[in-house]
């Protein structure tokens, strides 16, 4: 409106000046007084005016004046020298009305106009002219007293530029601007122009422009066109002299097939919407703009009404909005958003302003999802005094996932209720969510300025069982429950803290605290304690129908995988975790008083200490995996010692053995990028030392393990035929050097009936085996079946071991038995006497390296105390 006023003041000053000069100019030659005329214009406008072309004047009752090549100087800060240039200007007006302070223009014609309208950084327009500005400053409420009547005006072949210091320049090419006075104080408009290649047109009628200047109603009936974008305005506007706010009573309509032309005109990507038909009305009443709007935008029906304060100060505003549509996807197009294809959509909203806040109420239905919200937010949107309540309900979780473009399982019903308030720089909130048999409660406060820094959140999760939580995460979990999880989360600029962690799962419990430091790499420290950790319910993963189908096993020729270990991720994390478990229940065993500390720093993983109680015995040890850059190849070190492990208490052994206090020692070290590479260069020692035990039938096979079970059966078949025996001792010891696991008479089992001794080697690089295992009976028993197979071998690989019969030993034994038969047993008894002399009385001590007959090759650590 400022631009209109500036132009009107200029026009008035121009017409008044021309009128005053007509009588004088009628008696002189204009060209002789060019400088005087230019100076008069300059003084009135406050800008330098130059008329470089012809000047003509015809004096009559309708004076006629023609000026060519007119220039008006721009503001001193302007972007170019002239703010207006006109190729030719023609003015004809009636003389008699001038005597009554009226200006009646019969013709105003301007061609080849080049006009610039611009503002500087302070918002000052270049058309704020000296004298006009002074006049409005001195008499701000006097209005324009001179009445102007324009019969006909024509602007052709003109160019108008509008500049803002912070925006791009607007270039408008005016092909024609024709104004024609008709009847009853109305004038007809016909404008044709182009902007950015888009046709711009305005047609219709309005009151005389003078009505705007004197505060009278300015009636209009206009139809505008921007390409295919059609608008219509009907009604009146008034600019009261005592107010800066216009008075409106306007009906409007918009009809367009799309917004492509608006995109081209504005340079902004408008939504790709088809067919817009909107009608509305706005009226000024009691200090408010009251409005109604209704129509269809694409397939969305919109209806809105309400009022907005004329002062635009947000006081007393009230707006109602209703939106309905076939689906959410169509609604998303209005805001250039990708939304889900869900519907129908029904949105009802009310907004009102009071006491510096916007009060609102929202009721929305999308498909079967219902969202209700109400409350208030600060008009400054500074988060002060906000108060919001919300409720989300739906029959199933799946549609909510679709709404958020996330795949969620089919579970329900769901109900989420919450409230949030801004107090003291924080959003204080409370949320309660129910999903089928799962409930989540949360409350606390979140920093308004820096979310995630200074927050405090309390959480409680309750579920009937883990299966429900598994369904939420689309993972099959066992039906173990109920589940109750509580925790408190605190955030600061340096870390996240989870305290008061309390998990109860059936009879499982877990408590502790966790800190996650915000640095690179991330650092985690935790102290966790469980009285009972029962893993039995998790021993068998649920089997799917597909998994039940028979699968052909593919047997690998290697036990140790050569796949590189994924150790790079160790560098992204530092950790210190201290975990204590009073009772750990595994599918087949129970471990008590388990304690371990895991420390990860600079890609170096250390588990120390590691201790526990297992089947009456103690276990202590440590593990190191060093993948730090300075190490070169990753280093693995394992040290583990146990004492008084009672084999008879293990579930898999209790039916075969009673007693059997045992000791285990493991000390291993190796380097490599994979398990196979580590094993290929492994060094260290492993010892299993078994004390006295009572054996059931076939237990020798069980102790020996799968790899040599068939050999033990061949060497000591009587064990499976008797009512049991007494195991005096048993030892399995390997000295390992450079990937070679050696056993030099360090495999020994001695019962009251049989002695079994073995030697050999495992090549951990090739996984090749080479063992010889021998047995003999204890004492001078009669011929038994055990002497038929005195010695056997074991070859092949770890993945495919193969027993090998010792032919020489069998032949020797066979000959001895044949001689015994011929001599009624005397030869056999004689050989038994010889063997009793050379027999190793303490095979287990020999296996442990504590006998003169032992070939001791490695003493990495002191072995456990000797057994029988």
């Amino acid at each position: 409106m400022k631009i209109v006023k500036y132009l009107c003041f200029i026009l008035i000053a121009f017409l008044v000046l021309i009128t005053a000069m007509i009588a004088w100019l009628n008696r002189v030659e204009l060209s002789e007084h060019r400088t005087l005329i230019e100076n008069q214009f300059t003084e009135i406008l406050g800008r330098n005016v130059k008329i470089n072309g012809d000047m003509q004047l015809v004096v009559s009752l309708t004076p006629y004046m023609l000026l060519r090549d007119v220039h008006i100087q721009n503001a001193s800060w302007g972007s170019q020298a002239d703010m207006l240039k006109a190729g030719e200007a023609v003015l004809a007006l009636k003389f008699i009305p001038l005597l009554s302070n009226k200006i009646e223009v019969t013709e105003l014609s301007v061609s080849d106009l080049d006009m610039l309208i611009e503002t500087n950084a302070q918002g000052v327009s270049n058309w704020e002219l000296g004298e006009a500005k002074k006049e409005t400053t001195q008499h701000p409420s006097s209005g324009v007293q001179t009445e102007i009547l324009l019969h006909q005006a024509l602007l052709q072949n003109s160019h108008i530029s509008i500049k803002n210091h912070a925006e791009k320049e607007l270039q408008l090419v005016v092909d024609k601007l024709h104004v024609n006075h008709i009847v009853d104080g109305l004038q007809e408009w016909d404008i044709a122009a182009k902007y950015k290649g888009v046709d711009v047109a305005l047609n219709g009628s309005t009151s005389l422009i003078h009505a705007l200047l004197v505060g009278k109603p300015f009636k209009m009936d206009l139809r505008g066109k921007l390409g295919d974008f059609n608008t219509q305005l009907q009604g009146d506007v008034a600019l009261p002299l005592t107010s800066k706010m216009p008075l409106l009573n306007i009906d409007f309509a918009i009809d367009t097939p799309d917004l492509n032309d608006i995109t081209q005109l504005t340079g902004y990507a408008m939504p790709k919407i088809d067919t817009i038909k909107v009608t509305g009305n706005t009226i000024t009443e009691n200090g408010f703009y009251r409005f109604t709007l209704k129509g269809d935008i694409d397939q969305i029906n919109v209806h809105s009404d309400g009022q907005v304060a004329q002062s635009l100060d947000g006081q007393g505003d009230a707006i109602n909005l209703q939106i309905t549509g076939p689906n959410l996807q169509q609604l998303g197009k209005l805001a250039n958003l990708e939304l889900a294809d869900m519907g129908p959509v029904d949105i009802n909203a009310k907004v009102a302003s009071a006491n510096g806040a916007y009060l609102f109420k929202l009721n929305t239905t999308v498909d079967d999802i219902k969202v209700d919200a109400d409350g208030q937010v600060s008009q400054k949107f500074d988060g002060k005094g906000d108060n919001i309540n919300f409720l989300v309900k739906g029959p199933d979780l799946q549609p909510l996932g679709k709404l958020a473009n996330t795949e969620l399982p089919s579970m329900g019903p769901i109900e989420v209720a919450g409230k949030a308030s801004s107090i003291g720089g924080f959003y204080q909130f409370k949320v309660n969510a129910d999903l089928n048999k799962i409930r989540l409660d949360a409350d606390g406060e979140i920093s308004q300025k820096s979310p995630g820094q200074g927050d405090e959140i309390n959480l409680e999760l309750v579920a009937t069982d883990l299966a429900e939580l598994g369904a939420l995460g689309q993972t099959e979990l066992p039906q173990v429950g109920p589940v109750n999880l509580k925790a408190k989360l605190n955030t600061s600029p340096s870390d996240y803290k989870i305290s008061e962690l309390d998990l109860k799962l059936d009879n499982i419990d877990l408590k502790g605290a966790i800190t996650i430091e915000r640095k690179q790499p991330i650092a985690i420290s935790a102290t966790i304690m469980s009285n009972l950790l029962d893993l039995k319910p998790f021993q068998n993963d649920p089997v799917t129908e597909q998994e039940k189908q028979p699968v052909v096993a593919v047997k690998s020729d290697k036990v140790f995988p050569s796949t590189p270990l994924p150790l790079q991720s160790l560098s992204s994390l530092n950790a210190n975790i201290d975990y204590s478990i009073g009772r750990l229940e595994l599918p087949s065993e129970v471990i008590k008083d388990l304690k371990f500390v895991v420390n990860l720093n600079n890609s170096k993983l250390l588990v120390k200490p590691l201790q526990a109680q297992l089947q009456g015995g103690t276990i202590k040890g440590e593990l190191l995996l060093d993948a730090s850059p300075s190490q070169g190849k990753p280093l693995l070190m394992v040290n583990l010692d146990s004492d008084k492990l009672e084999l008879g208490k293990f579930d898999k052994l209790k039916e075969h053995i009673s007693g059997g206090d045992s000791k285990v020692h493991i000390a291993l070290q190796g380097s490599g990028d994979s398990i196979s590479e580590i094993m290929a260069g492994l060094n260290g020692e492993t010892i299993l030392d078994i004390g006295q035990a009572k054996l059931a039938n076939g237990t020798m096979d069980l102790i020996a393990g799968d790899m040599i079970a068939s050999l033990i059966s061949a060497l000591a078949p009587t064990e499976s035929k008797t009512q049991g025996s007494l195991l005096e001792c048993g030892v399995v010891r390997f000295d390992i050097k450079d990937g070679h696991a050696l056993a030099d008479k360090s495999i020994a089992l001695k019962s009251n009936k049989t002695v079994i001794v073995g030697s050999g080697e495992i090549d951990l690089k090739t996984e090749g085996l080479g063992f010889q295992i021998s047995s003999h009976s204890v004492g001078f028993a009669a011929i038994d079946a055990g002497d038929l197979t005195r010695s056997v071998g074991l070859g092949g690989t770890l993945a495919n071991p193969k027993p090998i019969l010792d032919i020489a030993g069998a032949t020797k034994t066979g000959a001895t038995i044949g001689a015994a038969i011929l001599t009624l047993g005397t030869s056999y008894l004689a050989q038994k006497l010889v063997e009793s002399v050379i027999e190793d009385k303490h095979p287990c001590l020999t296996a442990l390296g504590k006998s003169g007959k032992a070939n001791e090759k490695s003493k990495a650590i002191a072995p456990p105390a000797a057994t029988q």
Side-chain angles (χ1 to χ4, degrees):
M1 290 299 181
K2 282 187 176 182
I3 296 299
V4 175
K5 287 187 175 181
Y6 296 150
L7 294 178
C8 289
F9 279 123
I10 293 169
L11 178 60
I12 293 166
F14 181 73
L15 295 176
V16 170
L17 177 63
I18 293 299
T19 303
M21 294 177 63
I22 283 178
W24 176 69
L25 292 173
N26 188 43
R27 296 173 297 172
V28 299
E29 184 68 31
L30 290 183
S31 59
E32 295 179 0
H33 301 278
R34 183 186 302 274
T35 302
L36 178 61
I37 295 172
E38 291 175 343
N39 289 340
Q40 289 296 320
F41 276 112
T42 299
E43 184 177 352
I44 291 174
L45 299 178
R47 299 288 171 80
N48 191 25
V49 178
K50 288 291 182 181
I51 304 172
N52 297 328
D54 295 339
M55 302 172 62
Q56 297 179 14
L57 176 64
V58 177
V59 179
S60 66
L61 292 179
T62 306
Y64 173 93
M65 186 176 186
L66 180 145
L67 302 175
R68 288 191 174 97
D69 197 8
V70 180
H71 295 256
I72 300 178
Q73 186 185 33
N74 200 5
S76 58
W77 48 264
S79 60
Q80 62 187 46
D82 294 332
M83 67 179 185
L84 183 144
K85 292 184 288 186
E88 182 178 281
V90 176
L91 174 66
L93 49 78
K94 293 183 179 181
F95 181 76
I96 299 300
L98 294 175
L99 302 177
S100 304
N101 199 26
K102 294 182 180 179
I103 299 175
E104 191 170 340
V105 180
T106 59
E107 181 184 354
L108 175 62
S109 176
V110 180
S111 62
D112 299 323
L113 176 71
D114 191 348
M115 181 178 177
L116 172 66
I117 303 172
E118 62 180 337
T119 57
N120 63 13
Q122 288 72 41
V124 178
S125 171
N126 63 332
W127 282 89
E128 291 189 12
L129 305 176
E131 292 302 318
K133 185 176 180 181
K134 292 177 183 177
E135 180 69 19
T136 56
T137 304
Q138 294 170 2
H139 308 284
S141 62
S142 62
V144 179
Q145 302 301 320
T146 303
E147 183 179 348
I148 301 174
L149 177 61
L150 181 63
H151 285 272
Q152 183 169 290
L154 180 63
L155 179 66
Q156 298 182 96
N157 302 325
S158 298
H159 185 275
I160 300 175
S161 298
I162 302 176
K163 281 185 178 180
N164 184 305
H165 76 284
E167 298 177 0
K168 294 181 179 180
E169 182 176 358
L170 183 153
Q171 300 281 349
L172 181 65
V173 177
V174 181
D175 297 325
K176 179 181 68 172
L177 188 158
H178 187 207
V179 182
N180 187 33
H181 178 240
I182 45 179
V183 294
D184 298 331
L186 297 177
Q187 53 193 12
E188 195 173 52
W189 295 79
D190 183 8
I191 300 175
K194 282 186 182 295
Y195 175 58
K196 290 188 175 181
V198 177
D199 290 331
V200 180
L202 181 66
N203 299 278
S205 62
T206 67
S207 298
L208 301 179
I209 295 178
H210 179 73
L212 276 177
L213 304 178
V214 297
K216 293 182 179 180
F218 181 76
K219 297 183 181 300
M220 66 179 73
D221 184 359
L222 297 173
R223 290 162 298 283
K225 190 176 181 68
L226 297 173
D228 292 329
F229 189 92
N230 299 294
T231 62
Q232 185 174 352
L233 295 174
Q234 289 182 312
D236 54 75
V237 178
L239 300 175
L241 300 179
T242 57
S243 172
K244 295 182 180 180
M245 302 299 173
L247 301 177
L248 307 176
N249 187 358
I250 298 176
D251 296 320
F252 61 88
I254 297 174
D255 187 352
T256 180
D258 53 54
L259 296 177
N260 295 339
D261 289 323
I262 302 300
T263 297
Q264 185 173 342
L265 288 172
T266 62
Y268 295 102
M270 304 299 289
K272 295 189 179 300
I273 299 172
D274 298 329
T275 309
I276 300 175
K277 291 186 177 182
V278 176
T279 61
N281 169 268
T282 179
I283 184 172
T284 306
E285 190 175 70
N286 299 326
F288 288 93
Y289 295 117
R290 304 190 190 278
F291 70 92
T292 60
L293 181 149
K294 60 182 178 180
D296 294 301
I297 303 176
D298 210 332
Q299 301 177 48
I300 305 298
N301 181 264
V302 179
H303 184 279
S304 181
D305 61 68
Q307 64 181 34
V308 178
Q310 279 188 284
S311 58
L312 301 179
D313 58 3
Q315 297 301 313
D317 297 351
I319 299 173
N320 302 308
L321 176 66
Q322 182 178 10
I323 299 175
T324 58
N327 57 59
L328 200 60
Q329 198 171 55
Q330 292 295 125
L331 192 60
K333 288 171 62 176
L334 301 184
N336 268 339
L337 296 175
E338 290 282 344
L339 297 182
D341 185 9
M342 298 175 61
V345 179
D346 190 347
I347 301 174
N348 288 275
K350 295 182 178 182
V351 179
S353 58
N355 302 320
Y358 290 115
L359 309 179
F360 71 92
K361 185 174 183 180
L362 174 68
N363 304 106
T364 301
T365 302
V366 180
D367 202 346
D368 293 327
I369 301 170
K370 185 174 178 60
V371 179
D372 296 328
D374 61 70
Q376 66 179 43
V377 295
S378 168
Q379 288 182 325
K380 297 179 180 179
F381 297 103
D382 54 6
K384 295 181 179 179
D386 295 352
N387 191 348
I388 300 172
N389 304 298
F390 65 89
L391 174 65
V392 180
K393 297 178 70 174
D396 197 281
L397 187 64
Q398 208 166 50
L400 270 179
K402 191 175 181 181
L403 188 64
N405 199 25
T406 301
E407 186 175 346
L408 293 178
S410 179
M411 296 178 65
I414 180 172
E415 181 174 318
V416 181
K419 60 182 180 180
S421 303
S422 56
I423 301 175
F426 287 88
Y427 289 114
Q428 296 185 354
F429 72 94
K430 184 175 183 180
V431 177
N432 306 108
D434 287 286
L435 174 61
N436 200 15
K437 300 176 182 178
I438 302 172
R439 179 174 177 84
L440 174 65
D441 296 326
D443 63 73
E445 58 184 24
I446 298 175
S447 171
Q448 288 179 310
K449 291 184 178 180
S450 304
Q453 301 183 16
D455 304 342
E456 181 175 303
I457 301 173
N458 302 301
L459 296 169
E460 182 174 6
L461 175 67
V462 178
T464 54
D465 53 50
L466 274 182
E468 287 291 325
L469 292 176
L472 181 61
Q474 301 186 60
T475 302
E476 290 193 57
L477 294 177
Q479 279 190 314
V480 181
V483 182
N484 192 305
L485 172 65
K486 295 179 181 180
K488 175 183 284 188
L489 171 65
N490 292 89
T491 67
S492 73
S494 59
D495 58 33
Y496 299 93
K497 292 183 184 293
I498 300 175
S499 60
E500 302 179 22
L501 178 63
D502 188 354
L503 169 65
K504 291 182 174 61
L505 174 61
D506 195 9
N507 57 350
I508 297 174
D509 69 286
L510 184 150
K511 294 183 178 181
I514 302 172
T515 299
I516 304 173
E517 297 183 44
R518 301 186 186 199
K519 60 182 182 180
Q520 292 298 327
I522 296 173
I524 300 176
S525 58
T527 301
I528 305 173
M529 181 186 71
S530 294
N531 291 314
L532 172 63
L533 185 59
D534 186 0
L535 300 183
K536 294 194 301 296
F538 307 93
Q539 61 180 324
N540 294 319
D541 295 330
V543 179
T544 65
E545 291 299 323
Q546 183 177 0
E547 291 172 334
K548 292 178 181 179
Q549 301 300 320
V551 178
V552 178
V554 179
K555 191 171 184 180
S556 172
D557 59 350
K558 293 286 186 179
V559 172
F560 306 130
S562 59
T563 307
L565 295 169
L567 303 180
Q568 296 84 354
S569 58
L570 293 179
S571 61
S572 62
L573 178 69
N574 287 334
N576 187 280
I577 301 174
D578 188 334
Y579 196 3
S580 300
I581 304 173
R583 182 181 177 90
L584 174 61
E585 295 189 4
L586 300 174
S588 59
E589 308 299 339
V590 175
I591 300 176
K592 298 180 180 179
D593 298 330
L594 173 61
K595 297 180 181 180
F596 60 87
V597 176
V598 177
N599 184 277
L600 175 60
N601 187 29
N602 192 29
S603 299
K604 184 183 293 185
L605 176 67
L606 175 64
V607 181
K608 180 181 180 179
L610 170 62
Q611 59 189 52
Q613 299 288 327
L614 176 63
Q615 308 303 5
T618 60
I619 299 175
K620 293 183 178 180
E622 61 186 47
L623 178 147
L624 172 66
L625 177 58
D626 189 352
S628 57
S630 60
Q631 184 59 42
K633 292 286 187 180
L635 171 66
L636 175 66
M637 296 180 65
V638 180
N639 288 292
L640 187 68
D641 289 284
S642 68
D643 189 20
K644 296 183 179 179
L645 291 180
E646 189 173 336
L647 297 183
K649 291 184 178 180
F650 285 89
D651 283 351
K652 291 185 178 181
L653 297 178
K654 62 176 55 176
E655 294 181 2
H656 306 278
I657 187 172
S658 62
D661 286 354
S662 302
K663 299 178 181 179
V664 176
H665 171 72
I666 299 174
L668 301 173
Q669 178 175 324
S671 299
D673 294 316
S674 65
I675 297 296
S676 62
E677 188 176 357
I678 292 173
M679 299 304 291
L682 196 66
N683 291 284
E685 183 179 41
T686 64
I687 300 174
L688 170 63
D689 182 359
I690 306 172
Q692 286 187 350
K694 185 176 181 180
L695 305 180
N697 296 337
T699 302
M700 293 292 279
D701 295 359
L702 186 63
I703 295 175
D706 293 339
M707 186 174 70
I708 58 175
S710 58
L711 304 181
I712 299 298
S713 296
L715 292 171
T718 56
E719 296 295 340
S720 60
K721 299 175 182 178
T722 65
Q723 295 300 314
S725 58
L726 178 66
L727 176 69
E728 296 182 6
C729 66
V731 173
V732 178
R733 179 170 69 88
F734 285 100
D735 292 324
I736 306 170
K737 185 175 182 181
D738 296 331
H740 294 274
L742 304 174
D744 186 2
K745 296 183 181 179
S746 58
I747 300 175
L749 295 172
K750 181 181 180 181
S751 72
N752 60 337
K753 299 179 180 179
T754 306
V755 174
I756 300 174
V757 177
S759 298
E761 175 185 351
I762 304 174
D763 187 336
L764 298 176
K765 182 176 183 179
T766 65
E767 300 189 12
L769 301 176
F771 285 92
Q772 183 175 11
I773 302 176
S774 303
S775 73
H776 61 82
S777 299
V778 176
F780 296 95
I783 299 174
D784 55 45
D787 285 322
L788 292 175
T789 311
R790 184 176 180 82
S791 180
V792 295
L794 183 67
T797 65
L798 288 173
N800 188 22
K802 297 178 180 180
I804 301 173
L805 182 66
D806 184 347
I807 302 300
T811 304
K812 175 184 176 182
T813 305
T816 303
I817 294 174
I821 293 174
L822 294 176
T823 60
L824 299 179
T826 55
S827 298
Y828 182 72
L829 293 175
Q831 181 165 325
K832 283 292 184 180
L833 288 173
V834 174
E835 289 179 351
S836 67
V837 174
I838 63 173
E839 179 184 353
D840 187 352
K841 300 296 184 180
H842 303 287
C844 293
L845 290 177
T846 301
L848 288 171
K850 291 200 171 186
S851 169
K853 293 189 177 185
N855 183 12
E856 299 185 29
K857 292 187 176 181
S858 174
K859 292 186 178 180
I861 60 170
T867 59
Q868 294 289 332

